[in-house]
Amino acid sequence: MDRQGKQAVRVAKALSDPTRYELLRRIAQAGEINCRDLTTLFPVSQATVSHHLKILIDAGLVRARREGQFHYYSVRPGALEGHADALARSFARPGSRGRQGRAT
């Protein structure tokens, strides 16, 4: 499996967990949000939220910014679009042009 395929699997695994999927959705809706505020949105501990955030960061979907004692999370620009494009290319038939313009 090539590097692009491995990254696609990493992202798919990260999004396969319902809590992580919802975390990413909430981060995307907020634009940027701190861990304390995210913790109040989910019925899990702060440590569990932090663990899920680390997986989303490692998958390249989320980035963290520290300000004082708080970490703020946002969706990495282009990450979702890039993942969608990579998936489309991975499953495209030979000779097709991917998502944008399929060869007929």
Side-chain angles (χ1 to χ4, degrees), residues 46-68:
Q46 184 274 327
T48 300
V49 170
S50 292
H51 170 74
H52 286 308
L53 288 169
K54 181 183 181 328
I55 291 170
L56 291 171
I57 290 168
D58 290 347
L61 295 169
V62 171
R63 64 181 178 181
R65 175 181 68 82
R66 185 174 182 153
E67 187 174 303

Side-chain angles (χ1 to χ4, degrees), residues 33-96:
I33 190 168
N34 68 42
C35 187
R36 186 180 73 187
D37 291 343
L38 280 171
T39 301
T40 64
L41 299 172
F42 294 90
V44 296
S45 70
Q46 184 274 327
T48 300
V49 170
S50 292
H51 170 74
H52 286 308
L53 288 169
K54 181 183 181 328
I55 291 170
L56 291 171
I57 290 168
D58 290 347
L61 295 169
V62 171
R63 64 181 178 181
R65 175 181 68 82
R66 185 174 182 153
E67 187 174 303
Q69 65 182 7
F70 297 106
H71 285 88
Y72 291 84
Y73 298 90
S74 59
V75 175
R76 186 175 294 279
L80 297 174
E81 296 84 358
H83 178 61
D85 289 342
L87 279 176
R89 284 191 304 275
S90 293
F91 294 103
R93 292 179 304 170
S96 72

Side-chain angles (χ1 to χ4, degrees), residues 2 6 10 13 21 27 32 40-41 69 77 82 84-85 98 104:
D2 63 2
K6 288 179 182 178
R10 184 179 298 120
K13 284 182 180 181
Y21 179 88
I27 293 167
E32 184 177 69
T40 64
L41 299 172
Q69 65 182 7
D85 289 342
T104 56

